[in-house]
Amino acid sequence: NVKKLPTVKELQTEYAQLLADKKKALEDDLHRYELNVKAYELLGEARDTFAVGHSVPVMEAFDRYYECVTGEHAGNVQAAPDMTIRYREQGMYRDSQTLSSGLADILGACVRVAIVDSMYQDEKPMLIMDDPFVNLDDRNMAGAKKFVEKISEKYQILYFTCSQNRVL
């Protein structure tokens, strides 16, 4: 049982087809890469446009909500142009990831509702809150209840929780 070796012509044809397949795959990959680069650029432009148009109204609404929840002015809190929140502690602004879970919950809820305020001037969407204050202690929970009561004047809210302690 002798196996016949391919001819030079058959090898050339096979390798030409492999080369054509690889060129097609490379072209497809380059096209996907170009689309990803363009999408990245457009998303960056959209982020910058959003930040320019919304950062002041968002920060103003955030200040009101933060004061409602904590009873303090938001002087130690700053919204960056990309809508991330930084908190000043011991004279330095720190990323919100360094905060306690409870304070991060408060800041996150306030900034999200502030963004909604800025985005929806006329039409008011329904807000769905899935246990947004799970990490709050009893002292801050009272402020969170005031916050939800305040935003419920403007928005219909679906509020989900698994704890009797966080029932509004």
Side-chain angles (χ1 to χ4, degrees), residues 50 54-55 57-59 61-62 65 82-85 108-121 125 127 155:
F50 177 82
H54 292 278
S55 61
V58 167
M59 199 58 205
F62 173 82
Y65 293 139
D82 63 355
M83 298 301 157
T84 57
I85 299 295
C110 290
V111 78
R112 285 191 295 275
V113 175
I115 290 170
V116 171
D117 281 357
S118 179
M119 291 176 63
Y120 297 96
Q121 298 295 314
L127 302 181
Y155 301 102

Side-chain angles (χ1 to χ4, degrees), residues 4 18 22-23 25 28 52 73 82 85 90 95 98 116 134 141-143 146 148 151 154 161:
K4 181 182 169 197
L18 285 172
K22 295 293 182 187
K23 282 183 179 179
D28 291 345
V52 167
H73 179 64
D82 63 355
I85 299 295
Q90 297 178 349
D95 189 275
T98 64
V116 171
V134 68
M141 195 60 206
K146 279 190 346 189
V148 173
I151 63 174
K154 285 202 276 190
T161 185

Side-chain angles (χ1 to χ4, degrees), residues 26-123:
L26 177 61
E27 289 171 8
D28 291 345
D29 288 346
L30 285 173
H31 182 67
R32 277 194 299 278
Y33 172 76
E34 290 167 359
L35 289 175
N36 282 323
V37 166
K38 187 64 176 174
Y40 183 79
E41 289 171 4
L42 292 173
L43 286 170
E45 290 173 17
R47 180 198 61 231
D48 294 343
T49 300
F50 177 82
V52 167
H54 292 278
S55 61
V56 171
V58 167
M59 199 58 205
E60 289 171 353
F62 173 82
D63 287 345
R64 287 190 309 273
Y65 293 139
Y66 181 82
E67 192 168 339
C68 174
V69 173
T70 64
E72 301 172 5
H73 179 64
N76 288 332
V77 182
Q78 179 185 64
D82 63 355
M83 298 301 157
T84 57
I85 299 295
R86 298 182 326 154
Y87 191 83
R88 185 170 51 203
E89 188 173 60
Q90 297 178 349
M92 290 181 56
Y93 278 102
R94 303 178 191 280
D95 189 275
S96 61
Q97 294 170 338
T98 64
L99 302 173
S100 70
S101 298
L103 188 53
D105 285 352
I106 290 171
L107 295 177
C110 290
V111 78
R112 285 191 295 275
V113 175
I115 290 170
V116 171
D117 281 357
S118 179
M119 291 176 63
Y120 297 96
Q121 298 295 314
D122 301 323
E123 180 181 325

Side-chain angles (χ1 to χ4, degrees), residues 144-163:
K145 287 179 181 181
K146 279 190 346 189
F147 167 70
V148 173
E149 288 170 6
K150 181 177 182 90
I151 63 174
S152 70
E153 295 169 4
K154 285 202 276 190
Y155 301 102
Q156 179 181 4
I157 301 171
L158 290 178
Y159 186 93
F160 297 97
T161 185
C162 296
S163 172

